[in-house]
């Protein structure tokens, strides 16, 4: 534990600050604990005493603990169940991810948004919000302010989606006797799990569908989460290629996101153990720990983020996020029509 010698104070601070944010997230799921963590961190950033003593632990939490969270996230994925029940939505998921990434690339050029930030917003919007940002940030070496900016943009459209999608779904004409079509829509067009849950549950409540919509939406959302693997690997390869071109020294191992490998291993362990008869609830504590680690990491990121600068530079990232969000909505609806689901 020697490596924690100069870091424990900063880690402890992030742990203490994450606790109230965790419970606030439970009380207000549409916002979510990670967002509360970033907000609290930014609010306290300028008032930290003995900042130099805390710096190492805060940096460790924002980087390493974030990676540990992604690894533990794998214990919440039973690959056989996800692939079996989510295969129907796979064309829609692939289409929305593709259009979001293309839109992020295009708007980055038009709006002149930094490359790392546009990548985080594009990936976070199309895959699974904060978890995708957490997995992508270390791969592209994004700094804490870029992560905070991306999470803030994604949070904004999460809240809007949770508030307007149930009404929008009624106006569009989704089937109100089954939760299948709206569940697919919520699972592909809403980013964060908590907001997907809130949106789908509202639809179930409005039309007395029990948990039909929620079950479908969560399955689709979990299937989207698997896209973390190919996306991060492609980004790692792209980074490795740039490093090789710009330097005589090149190490693929350094560029390869090893924590993604452990994420895959965790998913395989869950899948194999469940197939052997182990109850999925056995892995629930690890999944919960993953979520708490994300809150800790987001709190650390908030402590390293200048809120004034964040607000000042917020216009273009929000415009980029809006473009990604609208394109995802449009493609999700279009693909459902093409596939005959709606």
């Amino acid at each position: 534990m020697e490596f924690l010698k100069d870091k424990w104070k900063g880690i402890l601070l992030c742990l203490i600050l994450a606790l109230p944010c965790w419970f606030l997230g439970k009380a207000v799921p549409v916002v979510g604990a990670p967002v509360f963590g970033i907000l609290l961190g930014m609010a306290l950033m300028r008032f930290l005493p003995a900042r130099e003593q805390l710096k190492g632990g805060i940096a460790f939490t924002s980087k390493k603990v974030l990676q540990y969270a992604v690894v533990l996230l794998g214990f919440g994925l039973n690959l056989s169940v996800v692939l079996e029940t989510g295969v129907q939505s796979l064309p829609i998921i692939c289409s929305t991810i593709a259009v979001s990434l293309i839109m992020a690339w295009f708007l980055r050029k038009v709006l002149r948004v930094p490359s790392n930030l546009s990548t985080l917003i594009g990936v976070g919007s199309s895959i699974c919000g904060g978890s995708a940002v957490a997995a992508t940030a270390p791969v592209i070496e994004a700094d804490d302010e870029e992560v905070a900016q991306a999470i803030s943009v994604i949070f904004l459209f999460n809240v809007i989606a949770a508030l307007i999608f149930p009404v929008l779904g009624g106006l569009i004409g989704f089937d109100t006797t089954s939760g299948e079509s709206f569940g697919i829509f919520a699972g592909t067009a809403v980013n964060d799990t908590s907001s997907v849950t809130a949106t789908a549950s509202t639809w179930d409540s409005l039309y007395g569908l029990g948990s039909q919509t929620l079950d479908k939406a969560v399955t689709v959302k979990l299937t989207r989460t698997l896209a973390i693997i190919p996306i991060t690997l492609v980004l790692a390869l792209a980074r490795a290629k740039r490093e090789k071109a710009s330097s005589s020294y090149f190490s693929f191992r350094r560029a390869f996101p090893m924590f993604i490998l452990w994420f895959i291993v965790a998913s395989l362990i869950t899948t194999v153990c469940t197939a052997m008869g182990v109850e999925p609830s056995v892995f629930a504590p690890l999944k919960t720990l993953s979520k708490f680690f994300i809150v800790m990491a987001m709190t650390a990121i908030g402590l390293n983020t200048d809120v004034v600068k964040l607000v000042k530079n917020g216009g273009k990232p929000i415009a980029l996020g809006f473009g990604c969000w609208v394109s995802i909505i449009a493609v999700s609806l279009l693909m459902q029509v093409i596939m005959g689901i709606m």
Side-chain angles (χ1 to χ4, degrees), residues 58-336:
I58 292 173
F60 178 85
T61 305
S62 70
K63 297 293 189 292
K64 291 297 183 181
V65 172
L66 193 58
Q67 293 180 25
Y68 301 154
V70 175
V71 173
L72 292 173
L73 184 67
F75 288 106
L77 287 174
N78 183 333
L79 300 178
S80 60
V81 173
V82 170
L83 292 176
E84 180 184 345
T85 58
V87 67
Q88 177 196 31
S89 60
L90 200 57
I92 302 175
I93 291 170
C94 292
S95 300
T96 54
I97 290 174
V99 76
S100 177
L101 295 177
I102 292 169
M103 183 62 70
W105 175 84
F106 173 74
L107 290 177
R108 175 177 74 85
K109 299 284 188 180
V110 174
L111 300 173
R112 297 183 180 179
V113 175
S115 177
N116 280 354
L117 180 55
S118 65
T119 299
L120 291 176
I121 293 174
V123 170
S125 298
S126 60
I127 299 179
C128 53
S131 299
V133 171
T136 305
V139 177
I140 62 175
E141 296 187 329
D143 63 37
D144 286 348
E145 289 194 351
E146 289 170 329
V147 173
Q149 188 83 71
I151 292 288
S152 300
V153 169
I154 291 168
F155 154 71
L156 173 63
F157 295 111
N158 271 340
V159 173
I160 294 173
L163 293 175
I164 71 168
F165 273 14
V167 176
L168 181 65
L171 294 175
I172 291 173
F174 277 101
D175 184 5
T176 58
T177 62
S178 167
E180 181 181 10
S181 57
F182 188 81
I184 292 174
F185 177 62
T188 53
V190 185
N191 303 321
D192 190 73
T193 303
S194 58
S195 296
V196 169
T197 301
T199 305
S201 297
T202 300
W203 186 264
D204 280 331
S205 298
L206 284 173
Y207 300 104
L209 298 175
S211 64
Q212 287 184 40
T213 312
L214 178 61
D215 293 343
K216 189 66 178 182
V218 169
T219 300
V220 172
K221 176 65 171 59
L222 290 175
T223 308
R224 279 172 69 193
T225 302
L226 290 178
I228 285 176
I229 299 170
I231 289 293
T232 50
L233 293 180
V234 168
L235 290 171
L237 287 171
R239 176 184 155 201
K241 186 177 180 180
R242 287 195 302 271
E243 286 188 359
K244 189 174 182 180
S246 62
S247 173
S248 58
Y249 172 75
F250 169 71
S251 169
F252 179 74
R253 183 178 179 183
R254 191 169 73 86
F256 182 81
M258 292 301 294
F259 67 95
I260 292 297
L261 176 62
W262 294 117
F263 167 81
I264 297 171
V265 170
S267 302
L268 290 173
I269 290 172
T270 302
T271 304
V272 171
C273 289
T274 305
M276 294 173 63
V278 176
E279 287 295 322
S281 58
V282 169
F283 299 101
L286 294 174
K287 186 177 177 182
T288 300
L289 183 60
S290 167
K291 293 178 180 179
F292 185 74
F293 275 2
I294 288 179
V295 180
M296 277 185 66
M298 292 302 141
T299 303
I301 286 168
L303 290 169
N304 277 334
T305 302
D306 187 335
V307 66
V308 175
K309 185 178 178 182
L310 192 70
V311 172
K312 184 179 178 181
N313 299 329
K316 290 182 179 180
I318 289 173
L320 188 147
F322 178 74
C324 292
W325 185 58
V326 170
S327 64
I328 289 170
I329 293 171
V331 170
S332 178
L333 293 172
L334 178 62
M335 288 297 294
Q336 285 209 52

